[in-house]
Each structure stands twice: as C-alpha cells, then as structure tokens.
Amino acid sequence: MKFGTKVIHAGVQPDPSTGAIMTPIFQTSTYVQQSPGKNQGFEYSRTHNPTRAVLEKNLAALENGSVGLSFASGMAAIDAILKLLKPGDEVISTNDLYGGTYRIFTKIFANYGIRFHFVNMQDMAEVRSHLTKNTKLIWAETPTNPMMNIVDIEALAAISKEHGVLLGVDNTFATPFLQNPLDKGADLVMHSVTKYLAGHSDVIMGAIVVKDADLAEKLAFIQNSCGAVPGPQDCFLVLRGIKTLHLRMERHSQNGKTIAAYLKNHPKVEKVYWPGFEDHPNHAIAKKQMRDFGGMISFTLKDNRLSDAIQVLENFKVFVLAESLGGVESLCGHPATMTHASIPREEREKVGLSDSLIRLSVGIEDAEDLKNDLARALESIQ
C-alpha cells in the first residue's frame, strides 16, 4: 500500500460482529472466558483491547515495522524504552532534546544508576567518542526540539550496529509521512502520538514501533507489567485522526515553507530554524532522509530580549500560545520558559536556545492569515 492508503486501511477491518466500518470503542475492562485460559484473544484490557490492537497494527504499518505498542503518553513510551536498561548502562543522546525527555533521563533514571551523555549528534565523531562497553542505547530526535537540527539516522545506525547498541529515534516532529527511521536502520521509533498522529489536540498518547520480534516481546512485557496504556476512546480518536495524516502533513509542510520564508526576510527576526533552507545545518541530510520539511519552525528576535519574545507571544491572534504542537491549529510557544524550562539555562544556551527563541507549530489554516498574524505580532515590538 502507498502511504495515503495505509493511513485509512492498514490494520483496519470492518467490525465482524456488525460490519461497522469504523473500529468500535471497546469500553470494557475484562472479557468473558469460555474456560480458564480459553478466550477469544482478550482477557484484560491492560494487556490487550480490541480498539487498541487495531491502532497498534495501523501504527506498525505506517512506520514499516512489525509491531506497534501504544502508551498513555509519549513520556510513558520513553519510560518503557529506558526500562530495557539496567544500572550501570549508558545512553548517548542528542544535546538538543525535548525538555521532558531530558527531565526523565536526568531526574528519574539517572537515580537508578543509568548514565546519560548529551552530545552534538551532527558530529558522528562526537558520538563515537562517548561509546563505552556500557553503552546500550543511542537516542536521537530529528528534527530536534526546538532547534530543528537534523541527525543522520543512517550514520547513527551504522555506529549502533557496529557496537551492538540499540538505536531509538523520536520521530514526533517528522511523522511517518516525512521519514521512516526503521527503514534507515533504527531499532525502534517512538512518537508522541499526542502531536501530529492524533492531530487535533484532543488526545494524550505515545507509541513505539519495532521490527525485531525479541525487542517487541520485551517492550510488550514492560507495557503490560507497568500498565501505562491508553484507553479505547483515545485509541479510537487517534485512528480517526490518522486517516487524514497525509493530507494534514502536506498542508503543514506547505504552510511551513511559506512562514519560514516570511520570517527569514523580516527585519525584526534574527535567525530562523527550519530544515528546508539550503543554508540550514545538515540540510543535505534532511533532503536525503525526509520527504518534506514539515511545519515546525523556531526563530529568534533581534537583540535577543525576553521581553520582546513575550510581547510577540501576547499579541498573536491566530497562533495560540500553548504547550504541545502538531494540531490542525497553529500554536506558538516559548521553550525557555515552557517546554524546556527543566533544562538549565547554561545548557539551553549551549545549543542556541536563547531567551528570545519562539517555536511555531504551523497549522493548516490559510497561510495569508498566518503571515498577517505574524506581521501584527512582530510589529508590537518597540
């Protein structure tokens, strides 16, 4: 199947009991058994639920994997991945990382004897220099949040295979429409399904997709044992949202290109971070491993004043100031005080995350209205 067909049909069948074309919401905690251990494939909804099972098959197909696993949030999915490790193990991660991921690494799992190295993953020599016999996981985001850096997945995969290390990729920003890390050699791909996959700002969910059966079995054991699973209503909403993923991502990418170009030419804007620009660091890698460049954009203001950034954010009318991203509506945020506040300022500034940096999740509205909104907000700076 081509992608536009997969989002609608992969893993999805009419309900056999009624013929319903939409997957029903199986709002049940348990299932009647004919005899102890003799059932229709379902025993208890923490372990398996029919609505969730359809979604997980659909997610696996979108990422060209064999097994999909859904979780109560993106952080719950990352939590499950880290539970593959044990005290003394080491993780190499990008130094430009979502604040929630940085927090769970440094404030939760570091307390259990797991060591984390945060490196510039645009430099493979830097990655190699931190490899030890205890390295068990390489963790990447691409594009990164919020600096939009591009990491070469194939190059990381070559390193991970050479050293017998798992490679995990957070594919939230790109979605399986724009890139497929498993096809590039990653061992597992993670999504905050909350964002583009659900797409309508009405669900919290995470997911992991893998190809290897043994890895899938280990993660499924953690999923069931620890119990951070989504409910059937949320699974239904995500299945519905995914059906338009390809159409939404085309418009997100189209609007992203328009808004990035507008910002780059604005006199009050210092720098624009968007991987579609030819002068963007690792643009060539982005062009090779992505099908388009998406609707996530970050930019800084001239003179880098926090007060100016707040002024802009308070004067948006169409862009909405809120946590999260990836919905049909355009969102704006201030990473230094919102999504990345858990990262120390000195660490943020090392990667360019300055006080005036604003992150945009460009929605699917009319691009002219979005440009006019930006013009109005930027004009408010004195």
Side-chain angles (χ1 to χ4, degrees):
M1 291 183 184
K2 301 296 184 184
F3 192 87
T5 308
K6 279 184 181 181
V7 294
I8 296 169
H9 294 291
V12 181
Q13 300 292 334
D15 176 51
S17 63
T18 64
I21 193 167
M22 294 300 294
T23 302
I25 301 168
F26 287 88
Q27 194 70 51
T28 184
S29 62
T30 193
Y31 307 82
V32 174
Q33 302 188 32
Q34 298 162 297
S35 181
K38 188 177 181 182
N39 54 63
Q40 298 180 59
F42 299 93
E43 298 174 336
Y44 187 58
S45 278
R46 172 167 43 78
T47 309
H48 296 294
N49 174 279
T51 314
R52 194 175 96 212
V54 172
L55 172 61
E56 290 176 337
K57 288 177 183 176
N58 186 246
L59 291 168
L62 297 186
E63 282 289 9
N64 300 327
S66 60
V67 176
L69 299 163
S70 57
F71 294 83
S73 67
M75 294 313 304
I78 294 173
D79 177 81
I81 292 166
L82 291 175
K83 284 172 179 169
L84 294 167
L85 308 178
K86 62 182 187 299
D89 289 346
E90 297 186 12
V91 178
I92 300 174
S93 177
T94 176
N95 61 357
D96 171 20
L97 188 67
Y98 168 55
T101 309
Y102 181 88
R103 181 175 56 217
I104 198 172
F105 284 2
T106 60
K107 302 298 184 183
I108 304 296
F109 282 93
N111 294 332
Y112 296 97
I114 297 172
R115 188 179 181 192
F116 296 89
H117 304 277
F118 299 97
V119 307
N120 174 13
M121 281 194 171
Q122 296 179 85
D123 182 355
M124 292 301 138
E126 179 78 2
V127 175
R128 287 182 178 278
S129 72
H130 286 82
L131 284 162
T132 73
K133 61 181 176 57
N134 295 321
T135 305
K136 296 297 186 291
L137 173 67
I138 296 174
W139 183 258
E141 293 175 5
T142 183
T144 61
N145 181 5
M147 302 309 299
M148 306 306 298
N149 287 318
I150 299 298
V151 177
D152 189 333
I153 299 171
E154 287 185 337
L156 276 184
I159 293 172
S160 70
K161 296 294 184 292
E162 180 185 342
H163 293 271
V165 175
L166 285 176
L167 171 60
V169 177
D170 182 338
N171 203 29
T172 299
F173 272 25
T175 82
F177 179 75
L178 297 183
Q179 73 184 10
N180 299 109
L182 296 180
D183 291 349
K184 302 293 183 182
D187 296 292
L188 54 87
V189 58
M190 171 266 166
H191 286 276
S192 175
V193 177
T194 308
K195 314 306 193 293
Y196 286 108
L197 290 176
H200 293 78
S201 301
D202 54 8
V203 171
I204 298 291
M205 193 184 295
I208 302 169
V209 180
V210 301
K211 283 185 175 180
D212 181 77
D214 289 340
L215 182 57
E217 185 177 350
K218 290 175 183 176
L219 286 166
F221 179 82
I222 293 168
Q223 180 196 43
N224 182 48
S225 300
C226 298
V229 295
Q233 172 76 30
D234 286 349
C235 293
F236 171 86
L237 288 171
V238 173
L239 277 167
R240 186 177 68 169
I242 283 175
K243 290 181 187 297
T244 59
L245 177 62
H246 57 310
L247 303 176
R248 290 185 284 107
M249 290 309 298
E250 286 173 356
R251 183 59 174 261
H252 283 300
S253 297
Q254 177 187 333
N255 279 357
K257 182 177 182 179
T258 300
I259 297 306
Y262 174 80
L263 288 169
K264 194 169 189 178
N265 293 310
H266 198 285
K268 294 185 178 181
V269 172
E270 179 68 29
K271 192 165 184 179
V272 182
Y273 301 90
W274 182 67
F277 289 138
E278 290 189 0
D279 61 354
H280 183 87
N282 267 8
H283 168 74
I285 300 298
K287 194 172 180 181
K288 181 182 75 170
Q289 70 187 22
M290 299 176 71
R291 300 178 186 94
D292 208 331
F293 304 107
M296 294 303 301
I297 301 168
S298 293
F299 68 97
T300 56
L301 301 170
K302 293 283 177 67
D303 299 324
N304 190 34
R305 289 192 293 259
L306 174 61
S307 58
D308 288 346
I310 292 173
Q311 183 77 12
V312 171
L313 292 165
E314 289 180 346
N315 279 276
F316 279 125
K317 302 299 182 186
V318 181
F319 283 92
V320 179
L321 178 61
E323 300 272 0
S324 200
L325 59 103
V328 292
E329 62 285 306
S330 290
L331 300 177
C332 60
H334 186 246
T337 59
M338 295 170 68
T339 56
H340 291 66
S342 60
I343 301 176
R345 182 176 183 179
E346 60 272 18
E347 294 300 318
R348 294 197 306 264
E349 291 182 342
K350 284 179 186 177
V351 299
L353 204 170
S354 65
D355 283 347
S356 76
L357 186 119
I358 293 170
R359 191 189 73 182
L360 301 179
S361 172
V362 180
I364 65 173
E365 303 95 338
D366 189 284
E368 285 303 309
D369 288 332
L370 297 178
K371 286 198 295 184
N372 290 339
D373 197 39
L374 281 163
R376 190 167 46 241
L378 289 166
E379 190 60 35
S380 70
I381 301 174
Q382 299 301 317

